PDB file of all heavy atoms in Angstrom:
ATOM      1  N   TRP A 203     171.738 115.159 121.173  1.00 91.00           N
ATOM      2  CA  TRP A 203     170.426 114.918 120.600  1.00 91.00           C
ATOM      3  C   TRP A 203     169.958 113.499 121.049  1.00 91.00           C
ATOM      4  O   TRP A 203     168.755 113.232 121.023  1.00 91.00           O
ATOM      5  CB  TRP A 203     170.549 115.096 119.090  1.00 91.00           C
ATOM      6  CG  TRP A 203     171.568 114.101 118.410  1.00 91.00           C
ATOM      7  CD1 TRP A 203     172.714 114.459 118.152  1.00 91.00           C
ATOM      8  CD2 TRP A 203     171.226 112.900 117.929  1.00 91.00           C
ATOM      9  NE1 TRP A 203     173.346 113.304 117.483  1.00 91.00           N
ATOM     10  CE2 TRP A 203     172.366 112.313 117.367  1.00 91.00           C
ATOM     11  CE3 TRP A 203     170.045 112.037 117.935  1.00 91.00           C
ATOM     12  CZ2 TRP A 203     172.525 111.101 116.807  1.00 91.00           C
ATOM     13  CZ3 TRP A 203     170.189 110.719 117.434  1.00 91.00           C
ATOM     14  CH2 TRP A 203     171.417 110.262 116.892  1.00 91.00           C
ATOM     15  N   TRP A 204     170.885 112.652 121.207  1.00 90.00           N
ATOM     16  CA  TRP A 204     170.497 111.282 121.533  1.00 90.00           C
ATOM     17  C   TRP A 204     169.946 111.104 122.883  1.00 90.00           C
ATOM     18  O   TRP A 204     169.646 109.893 123.253  1.00 90.00           O
ATOM     19  CB  TRP A 204     171.818 110.349 121.270  1.00 90.00           C
ATOM     20  CG  TRP A 204     172.973 110.729 122.174  1.00 90.00           C
ATOM     21  CD1 TRP A 204     173.218 110.244 123.399  1.00 90.00           C
ATOM     22  CD2 TRP A 204     173.894 111.693 121.801  1.00 90.00           C
ATOM     23  NE1 TRP A 204     174.412 110.852 123.840  1.00 90.00           N
ATOM     24  CE2 TRP A 204     174.889 111.697 123.041  1.00 90.00           C
ATOM     25  CE3 TRP A 204     174.192 112.465 120.777  1.00 90.00           C
ATOM     26  CZ2 TRP A 204     175.995 112.514 122.938  1.00 90.00           C
ATOM     27  CZ3 TRP A 204     175.245 113.336 120.736  1.00 90.00           C
ATOM     28  CH2 TRP A 204     176.225 113.361 121.923  1.00 90.00           C
ATOM     29  N   LYS A 205     169.894 112.071 123.694  1.00 91.00           N
ATOM     30  CA  LYS A 205     169.560 111.847 125.109  1.00 91.00           C
ATOM     31  C   LYS A 205     168.026 112.113 125.320  1.00 91.00           C
ATOM     32  O   LYS A 205     167.557 112.064 126.333  1.00 91.00           O
ATOM     33  CB  LYS A 205     170.383 112.880 126.043  1.00 91.00           C
ATOM     34  CG  LYS A 205     171.774 112.470 126.122  1.00 91.00           C
ATOM     35  CD  LYS A 205     172.443 113.537 127.034  1.00 91.00           C
ATOM     36  CE  LYS A 205     174.074 113.232 126.966  1.00 91.00           C
ATOM     37  NZ  LYS A 205     174.654 114.215 128.000  1.00 91.00           N
ATOM     38  N   SER A 206     167.428 112.574 124.168  1.00 91.00           N
ATOM     39  CA  SER A 206     165.914 112.756 124.291  1.00 91.00           C
ATOM     40  C   SER A 206     165.195 112.299 123.094  1.00 91.00           C
ATOM     41  O   SER A 206     165.798 112.075 122.013  1.00 91.00           O
ATOM     42  CB  SER A 206     165.701 114.326 124.366  1.00 91.00           C
ATOM     43  OG  SER A 206     165.987 114.938 123.219  1.00 91.00           O
ATOM     44  N   ARG A 207     163.914 111.954 123.230  1.00 93.00           N
ATOM     45  CA  ARG A 207     163.096 111.385 122.127  1.00 93.00           C
ATOM     46  C   ARG A 207     162.993 112.497 121.101  1.00 93.00           C
ATOM     47  O   ARG A 207     162.745 112.241 119.908  1.00 93.00           O
ATOM     48  CB  ARG A 207     161.784 110.911 122.558  1.00 93.00           C
ATOM     49  CG  ARG A 207     160.795 111.823 123.184  1.00 93.00           C
ATOM     50  CD  ARG A 207     159.466 111.153 123.569  1.00 93.00           C
ATOM     51  NE  ARG A 207     158.512 112.192 124.091  1.00 93.00           N
ATOM     52  CZ  ARG A 207     158.365 112.466 125.265  1.00 93.00           C
ATOM     53  NH1 ARG A 207     159.199 111.925 126.232  1.00 93.00           N
ATOM     54  NH2 ARG A 207     157.473 113.359 125.684  1.00 93.00           N
ATOM     55  N   TRP A 208     162.925 113.848 121.571  1.00 94.00           N
ATOM     56  CA  TRP A 208     162.684 114.855 120.495  1.00 94.00           C
ATOM     57  C   TRP A 208     163.866 114.944 119.580  1.00 94.00           C
ATOM     58  O   TRP A 208     163.790 115.145 118.335  1.00 94.00           O
ATOM     59  CB  TRP A 208     162.518 116.141 121.241  1.00 94.00           C
ATOM     60  CG  TRP A 208     161.222 116.135 122.071  1.00 94.00           C
ATOM     61  CD1 TRP A 208     159.889 116.243 121.740  1.00 94.00           C
ATOM     62  CD2 TRP A 208     161.192 116.069 123.547  1.00 94.00           C
ATOM     63  NE1 TRP A 208     159.094 116.186 122.751  1.00 94.00           N
ATOM     64  CE2 TRP A 208     159.923 116.114 123.913  1.00 94.00           C
ATOM     65  CE3 TRP A 208     162.226 115.865 124.503  1.00 94.00           C
ATOM     66  CZ2 TRP A 208     159.559 116.042 125.227  1.00 94.00           C
ATOM     67  CZ3 TRP A 208     161.878 115.814 125.822  1.00 94.00           C
ATOM     68  CH2 TRP A 208     160.507 115.825 126.123  1.00 94.00           C
ATOM     69  N   GLY A 209     165.067 114.682 120.260  1.00 93.00           N
ATOM     70  CA  GLY A 209     166.291 114.673 119.359  1.00 93.00           C
ATOM     71  C   GLY A 209     166.318 113.670 118.395  1.00 93.00           C
ATOM     72  O   GLY A 209     166.722 113.772 117.257  1.00 93.00           O
ATOM     73  N   TRP A 210     165.835 112.401 118.783  1.00 93.00           N
ATOM     74  CA  TRP A 210     165.904 111.251 117.901  1.00 93.00           C
ATOM     75  C   TRP A 210     164.968 111.494 116.716  1.00 93.00           C
ATOM     76  O   TRP A 210     165.289 111.254 115.634  1.00 93.00           O
ATOM     77  CB  TRP A 210     165.513 110.018 118.739  1.00 93.00           C
ATOM     78  CG  TRP A 210     166.642 109.289 119.321  1.00 93.00           C
ATOM     79  CD1 TRP A 210     166.849 109.401 120.749  1.00 93.00           C
ATOM     80  CD2 TRP A 210     167.654 108.466 118.848  1.00 93.00           C
ATOM     81  NE1 TRP A 210     168.072 108.624 120.998  1.00 93.00           N
ATOM     82  CE2 TRP A 210     168.522 108.117 119.894  1.00 93.00           C
ATOM     83  CE3 TRP A 210     167.859 107.969 117.587  1.00 93.00           C
ATOM     84  CZ2 TRP A 210     169.589 107.301 119.579  1.00 93.00           C
ATOM     85  CZ3 TRP A 210     168.946 107.224 117.211  1.00 93.00           C
ATOM     86  CH2 TRP A 210     169.767 106.836 118.307  1.00 93.00           C
ATOM     87  N   HIS A 211     163.751 112.023 117.194  1.00 94.00           N
ATOM     88  CA  HIS A 211     162.759 112.418 116.073  1.00 94.00           C
ATOM     89  C   HIS A 211     163.305 113.314 115.015  1.00 94.00           C
ATOM     90  O   HIS A 211     163.213 113.209 113.805  1.00 94.00           O
ATOM     91  CB  HIS A 211     161.448 112.888 116.731  1.00 94.00           C
ATOM     92  CG  HIS A 211     160.654 111.892 117.529  1.00 94.00           C
ATOM     93  ND1 HIS A 211     159.717 112.315 118.394  1.00 94.00           N
ATOM     94  CD2 HIS A 211     160.829 110.531 117.617  1.00 94.00           C
ATOM     95  CE1 HIS A 211     159.282 111.228 118.991  1.00 94.00           C
ATOM     96  NE2 HIS A 211     159.912 110.148 118.444  1.00 94.00           N
ATOM     97  N   ALA A 212     164.009 114.317 115.630  1.00 94.00           N
ATOM     98  CA  ALA A 212     164.575 115.355 114.754  1.00 94.00           C
ATOM     99  C   ALA A 212     165.699 114.854 113.785  1.00 94.00           C
ATOM    100  O   ALA A 212     165.816 115.170 112.618  1.00 94.00           O
ATOM    101  CB  ALA A 212     165.051 116.568 115.544  1.00 94.00           C
ATOM    102  N   ALA A 213     166.528 114.059 114.502  1.00 93.00           N
ATOM    103  CA  ALA A 213     167.606 113.419 113.716  1.00 93.00           C
ATOM    104  C   ALA A 213     167.178 112.460 112.603  1.00 93.00           C
ATOM    105  O   ALA A 213     167.676 112.466 111.423  1.00 93.00           O
ATOM    106  CB  ALA A 213     168.627 112.707 114.576  1.00 93.00           C
ATOM    107  N   MET A 214     166.157 111.600 112.899  1.00 94.00           N
ATOM    108  CA  MET A 214     165.602 110.753 111.942  1.00 94.00           C
ATOM    109  C   MET A 214     164.960 111.466 110.852  1.00 94.00           C
ATOM    110  O   MET A 214     164.944 111.166 109.711  1.00 94.00           O
ATOM    111  CB  MET A 214     164.661 109.682 112.720  1.00 94.00           C
ATOM    112  CG  MET A 214     165.272 108.838 113.619  1.00 94.00           C
ATOM    113  SD  MET A 214     166.641 107.859 112.920  1.00 94.00           S
ATOM    114  CE  MET A 214     168.138 108.765 113.612  1.00 94.00           C
TER     115      MET A 214
END
Side-chain angles (χ1 to χ4, degrees):
W203 63 268
W204 58 92
K205 296 181 181 180
S206 68
R207 66 176 184 271
W208 300 283
W210 277 101
H211 292 166
M214 296 304 102

